[in-house]
Amino acid sequence: MRILKYRKRDRTRAVNLKRHEDNAERVRLRITKGATVRVVRGDEKGKEGKVIRVNRKTGRITIEGVNIVKRHRKARRAEEQSGIVDFPAPMHASNVMLIDPKSGEPTRIRMRVDEDGTKERISVKSGDAIPRSR
């Protein structure tokens, strides 16, 4: 059995906890599940789709019908079938823009707090509110 020469200190635990907190921070995104977005950068530029999934920890979103990749999947049970599966891969949220409800063009957004305290997203181009669809 190995004998420890130096005693482990609480400092290393505190450093590890701090590093974990930094890594686990969530990215603030203005894009929500169900929103319609247009891709403005990358190979899929110009495509539009509905947001299926938002991962706030990595800052990535999955869009329906955009960034389709193939994966070779092995059957895990006897009744499953092996083969090549197509599915949408996540892309970074900075590569997409929300669609303006009035003009149908991509727009930046700003937030506004109403009198009753609810936040709503405002289109910069038209000034209209972009409804949240959850």
Side-chain angles (χ1 to χ4, degrees):
M1 189 166 107
R2 192 172 143 244
I3 299 169
L4 289 175
K5 287 185 178 180
Y6 301 103
R7 179 166 230 176
K8 287 187 176 179
R9 304 224 167 126
D10 289 338
R11 185 185 181 294
T12 55
R13 185 170 189 276
V15 169
N16 286 338
L17 283 175
K18 174 73 172 103
R19 187 175 67 233
H20 176 71
E21 286 172 8
D22 292 344
N23 289 339
E25 275 183 16
R26 298 193 189 293
V27 181
R28 290 188 61 206
L29 297 176
R30 305 222 191 263
I31 298 169
T32 57
K33 181 179 174 180
T36 307
V37 293
R38 183 179 295 169
V39 181
V40 293
R41 284 183 207 90
D43 295 338
E44 306 288 323
K45 182 176 179 177
K47 291 188 179 178
E48 285 186 23
K50 189 176 170 185
V51 177
I52 304 168
R53 192 176 304 118
V54 177
N55 189 343
R56 290 179 55 210
K57 193 168 179 182
T58 60
R60 293 179 165 270
I61 59 173
T62 307
I63 306 166
E64 185 175 58
V66 177
N67 200 17
I68 302 295
V69 295
K70 293 179 184 293
R71 179 160 292 171
H72 296 260
R73 186 169 174 96
K74 187 176 179 180
R76 303 207 186 272
R77 294 185 299 252
E79 62 267 9
E80 279 187 13
Q81 181 140 4
S82 299
I84 299 170
V85 180
D86 294 346
F87 69 98
M91 63 176 15
H92 201 267
S94 64
N95 295 332
V96 300
M97 289 179 83
L98 281 168
I99 298 294
D100 186 8
K102 197 176 207 178
S103 64
E105 292 296 314
T107 179
R108 289 171 289 126
I109 61 167
R110 58 176 56 109
M111 301 300 280
R112 180 173 69 194
V113 180
D114 289 337
E115 296 81 31
D116 57 348
T118 58
K119 274 186 175 181
E120 67 177 349
R121 302 176 298 175
I122 305 297
S123 167
V124 171
K125 279 193 177 175
S126 66
D128 289 351
I130 299 174
R132 289 190 187 271
S133 54
R134 292 190 178 177

